[in-house]
Amino acid sequence: MFNKKDMFKVLVLVIVFTMALTACGTAASTATQAPAAPAATTAAAAEKPFGEASCAPNCTYKDMVMCFPQLGAESDWRTADTASFKDEAAKDGFQLVFSDAQQKQENQISAVRACIQQGVSVIALPPVVEDGWDAVLTEAHNAGIPVIVVDRTVSADPSLYVSHIGSDMELEGKRAAEEFNKKFPDGAKILELSGTTGSGAAVGRAKGFREALNSNIEIIDSQTGNFTRAEALPVMQAFLQKYKAGTDFQGIFIHNDDMGIGAIEALKAAGVNPGDLFIVSVDGTRGGFQAMVDGWFQADVECNPLLAPQVAEMALTIMNGGTVDANVLTNETVYYPENAAELLPTRTY
Ligand code: GYE
């Protein structure tokens, strides 16, 4: 019925028809896919790492505004920590939004809220206490602002912040306990002067201390001195009213050097030679080293306040869309009176 010429015509027609259909199909599918485009954009946005800034992947420190709602100025450790952040900002050239919460959580929360309002690039939060951060961390998260928890820890869900950088407070407590275990193999009675109630530093140190302390060493009393010299002094005085140094207790675990210095003052004022007791402190500040040189502290567990270089580097990585570790712990040691005099001049805080 069909000759070759007709066959050719049919073939051409079929091809043309198919092409038209395909074109229509493409047009049609483009049309039907059009509403799907935003979905594709949403998917891409969801894949974007949390906290990535619009300058990514080329953000520099000049693009960074870091909020640092410091918790207070209660100790030499804190002073050094504040200086570390201010120096780092000056060195790197990022803007630091600094505030001092005077050890009050509500002040820190207000400072964080102000930073969210301001639209900072990152919040480095040193939480005064562990609990009560969920609401404000959620607000920061909803605003797309990454939070790095610095120094002390929070009890909030880890999905609400990007990372934690700081010391292993439990390990510090364990290290202190080991000093007592070595000193008192036959057991002893001791006191504890602890840090701010509910703070990650105090909770962690107390926990690690108790976990590692030999069962023949009894903590007969534990009171907070809120990490300050001024508050530790009356607490030590009250201890001395209740317990006789040397008889009722042979040692004191003190959660930071400032409280240790306050306690030494109280001991001396009461006519007790602090060197007759076994005192172990935490931080490793110049004041702590001096107390070892003077013979008052028998060991000082290091806690390093110079956290800003790591925090700044991590913040920039986050802004550039990079991945970071969820928990970065500081490498630390224990210092002893033996070489305290030699090391004191090298101490920067
Ligand atoms: O040990 C103490 C300061 O949170 C690790 O706070 C910090 C502690 C430090 O007041 O001196």
Side-chain angles (χ1 to χ4, degrees), residues 159-181:
S159 66
L160 295 176
Y161 55 94
V162 180
S163 182
H164 165 256
I165 296 182
S167 301
D168 186 337
M169 310 293 181
E170 280 187 41
L171 182 60
E172 291 173 352
K174 285 189 176 135
R175 285 180 170 153
E178 276 153 24
E179 298 305 321
F180 285 91
N181 294 344

Side-chain angles (χ1 to χ4, degrees), residues 221 223 237-244 248:
D221 208 339
Q223 299 292 332
Q237 281 173 335
F239 274 152
L240 291 170
Q241 300 276 312
K242 275 168 88 179
Y243 313 105
K244 196 169 160 38
D248 294 335

Side-chain angles (χ1 to χ4, degrees), residues 74-75 77-78 151-152 169 201 205 227 255-256 283 303:
E74 76 286 0
S75 64
W77 189 101
R78 192 63 53 197
D151 158 27
R152 303 178 186 173
M169 310 293 181
R205 286 170 192 168
F227 280 129
H255 284 206
N256 83 339
D283 275 355
C303 181

Side-chain angles (χ1 to χ4, degrees), residues 240 244-246 249 264 266-277 296:
L240 291 170
K244 196 169 160 38
F249 69 98
I264 284 165
L267 288 164
K268 283 192 201 159
V272 178
N273 176 9
D276 290 345
L277 295 163
W296 312 145

